[in-house]
Amino acid sequence: MRSWLFLLIIFLCSFQQAPLESLSFPSYNSKAFSLKDLGTKKAIAFVFLMPDCPFCQRYTKTLNQLHKDYSAKGIQLEGVITGDLYTDSEVRDFIKEYKISFPVLHDQNKKLARYFRVDVSPSVAVSDMKGKLLYKGLIDNWPVTPGKTRQFITSNYLKDVFDQVVTDRPVTIKNTEAVGCILE
């Protein structure tokens, strides 16, 4: 039994992730992304999106507003399209149709999705500039289940996290369960 456990630990350790600082990604609508290029930002929010997901489409206005309100306060918002399910043209059409104002990255090999263990879209992972996860989950509490939404939003998780980060307060809610479309 002990030898089996030892081998399992060795196997799992062989899949250590590259530090977030060392990762870089091409962008669909701005220059290539590298964490070291962000300078003095306080945090970065990666929002995992899928162009054909109704939840993602619905959240573009909210995300554009958050980007507008917090980019000058030290929060970098980056959209992330994972894998190669969508053509460049489909992603650019999504960006244009929904007037996305923040950078959208192509995580072709799903490195960011694996790094943050994200499997649902839309889902957000907020980290400090060293890659420490501050929050992961929902943008707000509008979605209840994949087919059910609330009539009124009562919790704005991502905005609350941004407010706490820019005022140097600890993030009080670290995790919520994302609801949406399954990342492929």
Side-chain angles (χ1 to χ4, degrees):
M1 175 71 173
R2 285 185 183 198
S3 62
W4 180 84
L5 183 59
F6 178 74
L7 289 174
L8 178 62
I9 290 170
I10 298 270
F11 175 75
L12 292 174
C13 288
S14 69
F15 288 102
Q16 279 189 313
Q17 302 172 13
L20 185 59
E21 302 95 13
S22 69
L23 301 177
S24 64
F25 302 93
S27 175
Y28 290 102
N29 58 346
S30 72
K31 66 179 187 141
F33 169 83
S34 173
L35 195 63
K36 60 187 169 198
D37 294 336
L38 295 180
T40 60
K41 296 285 186 181
K42 290 185 172 218
I44 183 162
F46 295 102
V47 182
F48 294 83
L49 301 168
M50 295 172 67
D52 59 348
C53 176
F55 285 109
C56 294
Q57 294 166 355
R58 189 272 188 199
Y59 272 116
T60 55
K61 286 182 183 178
T62 301
L63 294 168
N64 280 336
Q65 189 62 51
L66 287 168
H67 173 66
K68 180 181 174 187
D69 293 346
Y70 289 91
S71 63
K73 296 178 182 178
I75 305 291
Q76 180 69 33
L77 192 131
E78 301 275 343
V80 180
I81 306 290
T82 62
D84 51 10
L85 183 64
Y86 305 101
T87 66
D88 287 356
S89 176
E90 289 171 322
V91 174
R92 285 190 173 86
D93 288 347
F94 169 65
I95 292 167
K96 183 177 179 181
E97 180 177 349
Y98 292 94
K99 299 175 177 64
I100 296 175
S101 60
F102 49 89
V104 178
L105 310 177
H106 187 193
D107 182 16
Q108 183 173 3
N109 297 318
K110 302 181 182 182
K111 290 178 182 178
L112 277 174
R114 280 195 306 273
Y115 185 89
F116 291 114
R117 294 184 172 101
V118 171
D119 56 6
V120 174
S121 179
S123 185
V124 63
V126 180
S127 77
D128 66 13
M129 299 314 289
K130 293 182 177 146
K132 178 185 172 200
L133 186 63
L134 303 174
Y135 170 77
K136 179 181 151 189
L138 293 162
I139 296 165
D140 57 36
N141 71 339
W142 176 66
V144 178
T145 63
K148 183 179 176 186
T149 58
R150 286 180 173 75
Q151 186 174 0
F152 301 104
I153 296 167
T154 57
S155 295
N156 292 290
Y157 303 116
L158 187 56
K159 182 184 181 312
D160 292 346
V161 168
F162 286 1
D163 285 338
Q164 291 165 349
V165 168
V166 300
T167 58
D168 297 318
R169 292 180 290 149
V171 174
T172 55
I173 296 178
K174 306 254 184 217
N175 191 21
T176 57
E177 190 68 34
V179 175
C181 305
I182 303 297
L183 284 178
E184 297 183 36

